[in-house]
Amino acid sequence: MDKRFVKAADTVSIVREQNNSRIVENAIWWLLLEQTDAGFKPSKYTSFNTRYDKLNTPRSAGYQAYRHSRCVFVVKGFGETEFNNKKPMHYFDIQAEHGGLLLGGLSRGWLNNQTGEIITSCSIITLPPHKKLGHIHSKSMPLILPQNESIINNWLDTTVNSVEQFSPLLQPYIPQNLIAQQIDKPITHHPINKPELIVLDN
């Protein structure tokens, strides 16, 4: 992702497997799309995130994608907004202390019936809130994948559809140190208070 912050329905970069090869591809950050005369638009159903507890629900938006087209978002960090009565209460920018983060996600391909073009969409899997992040965002956290070659290979492998092996990943877990910085708002990104170190889970 080129920008510090991206919004839902923006175009982002994902890593996924296609024809037994790993590719970096642009995708719309909204899993469910609707075709229009001009191409595709985000569905009325919110789907930039996919909740962990919906992944094994047949007919849910992410059920098939979880089994056949998982992807990875390679990012420096992610932003969180805490709401109170539907109004933003605070904003945080959370980054890896060193290197980057691998966020687990899903992707789908959409065939344009008029042009034959295939458009890719994606979503980030969200987990229950982590106790170390609860003061930042009380409802959820993104799936941060361990930077373990075997786990990442299996996650991206489109032939791996026995998803039981991924169940441990669907628990709140912080695999590496994070730096959390409160900011005034994403567009201006002025720091508030001192940054906080969030230590990885043992």
Side-chain angles (χ1 to χ4, degrees):
M1 302 180 185
D2 297 329
K3 298 183 289 185
R4 178 181 288 275
F5 282 101
V6 296
K7 304 185 300 295
D10 278 354
T11 297
V12 297
S13 294
I14 61 171
V15 178
R16 69 184 186 95
E17 185 175 277
Q18 185 179 57
N19 299 324
N20 298 318
S21 296
R22 303 284 161 78
I23 63 170
V24 178
E25 183 177 29
N26 287 335
I28 299 173
W29 186 22
W30 197 281
L31 192 63
L32 297 177
L33 304 181
E34 296 177 359
Q35 184 157 7
T36 68
D37 291 340
F40 287 93
K41 69 175 183 178
S43 163
K44 64 181 180 179
Y45 300 105
T46 302
S47 57
F48 58 92
N49 290 334
T50 300
R51 284 174 35 172
Y52 75 103
D53 55 350
K54 300 293 185 181
L55 294 172
N56 293 312
T57 302
R59 300 180 65 183
S60 67
Y63 182 83
Q64 291 296 332
Y66 183 48
R67 284 150 179 81
H68 303 290
S69 52
R70 296 171 298 273
C71 68
V72 170
F73 296 72
V74 182
V75 298
K76 176 62 178 175
F78 57 94
E80 294 287 17
T81 304
E82 181 75 357
F83 290 89
N84 185 17
N85 294 325
K86 298 184 178 181
K87 294 183 179 180
M89 190 168 63
H90 62 233
Y91 304 92
F92 272 84
D93 181 15
I94 303 168
Q95 297 190 13
E97 183 183 27
H98 304 291
L101 302 173
L102 304 179
L103 304 184
L106 307 175
S107 66
R108 289 184 61 169
W110 301 84
L111 176 64
N112 187 318
N113 295 327
Q114 299 174 350
T115 67
E117 181 185 12
I118 296 177
I119 300 296
T120 301
S121 65
C122 61
S123 71
I124 291 174
I125 295 172
T126 56
L127 308 179
H130 193 288
K131 61 183 179 181
K132 294 179 182 178
L133 299 173
H135 63 294
I136 293 172
H137 193 60
S138 61
K139 290 188 175 180
S140 65
M141 67 168 288
L143 167 54
I144 305 174
L145 293 168
Q147 296 193 22
N148 175 290
E149 184 176 0
S150 177
I151 291 174
I152 298 304
N153 283 340
N154 286 338
W155 183 262
L156 291 173
D157 190 338
T158 56
T159 66
V160 175
N161 50 36
S162 298
V163 294
E164 292 78 10
Q165 66 180 285
F166 302 130
S167 294
L169 299 176
L170 302 184
Q171 304 297 320
Y173 184 71
I174 300 175
Q176 59 199 99
N177 286 356
L178 304 173
I179 301 292
Q181 174 67 68
Q182 187 175 359
I183 57 174
D184 58 346
K185 59 181 64 176
I187 192 170
T188 50
H189 201 267
H190 293 144
I192 299 175
N193 302 321
K194 293 181 179 179
E196 174 187 356
L197 175 65
I198 298 177
V199 180
L200 71 133
D201 294 328
N202 293 323

